[in-house]
Amino acid sequence: MERTVGAPSTPTPQPFPAVPAEPVPGVEAAVLLDGVPRQRGSGTVRAPKVSRPVLRVRPWRLLPTPTGTPVTFAYTAILALTSLFAGYAGPGLLRTVYQDSSTDVAHLLRTPVFVLLASALWVAGGLISPYVLAFVLVLTALERRIGGARAILVFLAGHVLATLATEVPVGLAVLVGHLPDSSLHRLDYGISFGVAASIGALSGLLTPWLRWPLLALVGYSLLTDLVAFEDPMTNWGHLISLGIGTALWPVVRRWRRERHQSAHALPQAPAGTTAS
């Protein structure tokens, strides 16, 4: 028996398995043709457009509101009431009230806390005084940035320190005989020292293109009043209080950071709970 060898069989070529194309992010699902370059949808994926924030002008935020700036709103209401009282009260009564609220040397020696607080409840010149408009705008902006309690602390720092800086030299001058005894009863009241300090503090929270023009304008106005020499003690007090406000820049900037961080802090989960 002869050994027979069959013809070698040629293997049938098997097609390569189709490799599914990976989905391209941002491209709609579509059937792409093999071997055809530059098909629509297979090119570079365009990044989605990022919408830019729109600057919204809200002029009503310049004024105090019961919910947004309650401290400034309440203080403004008190000043409005005292100004109305001053407009309708008799001259004798008004003079007595002003004198009892005055931060002169005689009252500072007897009732310092009372007169330092009471003198800040009156506006020299009434509601038509430019310090009223400055008070409303500046205290509102300051409270929105650092909070109501801290804004009042800045106001009182300028009011109290500038008052002491101007009245203590008067008392010493009377003591050594350079001024008459009537200087101990010099009428002194109003919100201007606190407003000047608030302007100085607020300028430290503004952008430079607002900060320096504001300080230059206010400083020029105060220096002009001082050169006029109509009320040098008060004019010196305004400059001192403006300097006090600018000296508080590190403090008010830290307060603003703390307020910003607390406003954006995530709420903490209660103890013993597990986040899902």
Side-chain angles (χ1 to χ4, degrees), residues 3-15:
R3 178 179 299 183
T4 59
V5 179
S9 60
T10 304
T12 304
Q14 298 293 330

Side-chain angles (χ1 to χ4, degrees), residues 256-267:
R256 180 179 62 177
R257 288 194 301 269
E258 292 175 356
R259 182 176 175 86
H260 180 77
Q261 292 172 358
S262 62
H264 292 79
L266 295 177

Side-chain angles (χ1 to χ4, degrees), residues 238-255:
H238 290 157
L239 287 172
I240 292 172
S241 57
L242 182 65
I244 292 171
T246 56
L248 292 175
W249 283 2
V251 178
V252 295
R253 285 170 177 171
R254 185 177 73 249
W255 286 346

Side-chain angles (χ1 to χ4, degrees), residues 29 63 72 80 98 142 206 233 256:
L63 300 177
T72 304
Y98 281 162
L142 199 59
L206 302 177
M233 295 301 298
R256 180 179 62 177

Side-chain angles (χ1 to χ4, degrees), residues 269-275:
T273 60
T274 304

Side-chain angles (χ1 to χ4, degrees), residues 49-209:
K49 295 183 179 180
V50 179
S51 59
R52 297 180 179 179
V54 180
L55 180 61
R56 297 179 180 178
V57 179
R58 292 174 288 184
W60 59 87
R61 287 179 61 86
L62 299 176
L63 300 177
T65 59
T67 55
T69 54
V71 175
T72 304
F73 183 85
Y75 201 163
T76 303
I78 293 174
L79 293 177
L81 292 176
T82 56
S83 298
L84 288 175
F85 172 81
Y88 289 97
L93 175 61
L94 190 60
R95 175 74 182 185
T96 301
V97 173
Y98 281 162
Q99 192 66 56
D100 292 341
S101 304
S102 175
T103 52
D104 52 54
V105 177
H107 284 91
L108 285 175
L109 291 175
R110 293 197 302 265
T111 56
V113 177
F114 172 78
V115 294
L116 284 171
L117 295 178
S119 61
L121 301 179
W122 305 95
V123 180
L127 292 177
I128 62 174
S129 171
Y131 283 100
V132 174
L133 179 61
F135 172 87
V136 172
L137 297 179
V138 172
L139 262 293
T140 299
L142 199 59
E143 182 174 356
R144 290 191 185 279
R145 286 163 172 80
I146 64 175
R150 291 169 173 175
I152 290 299
L153 283 178
V154 172
F155 179 90
L156 289 177
H159 176 72
V160 172
L161 296 178
T163 297
L164 296 178
T166 53
E167 292 296 341
V168 170
V170 172
L172 295 176
V174 172
L175 186 63
V176 299
H178 290 304
L179 288 176
D181 292 344
S182 58
S183 300
L184 298 176
H185 304 278
R186 172 181 171 269
L187 198 61
D188 188 10
Y189 65 93
I191 61 173
S192 58
F193 289 174
V195 171
S198 301
I199 293 174
L202 177 63
S203 62
L205 303 178
L206 302 177
T207 56
W209 65 274

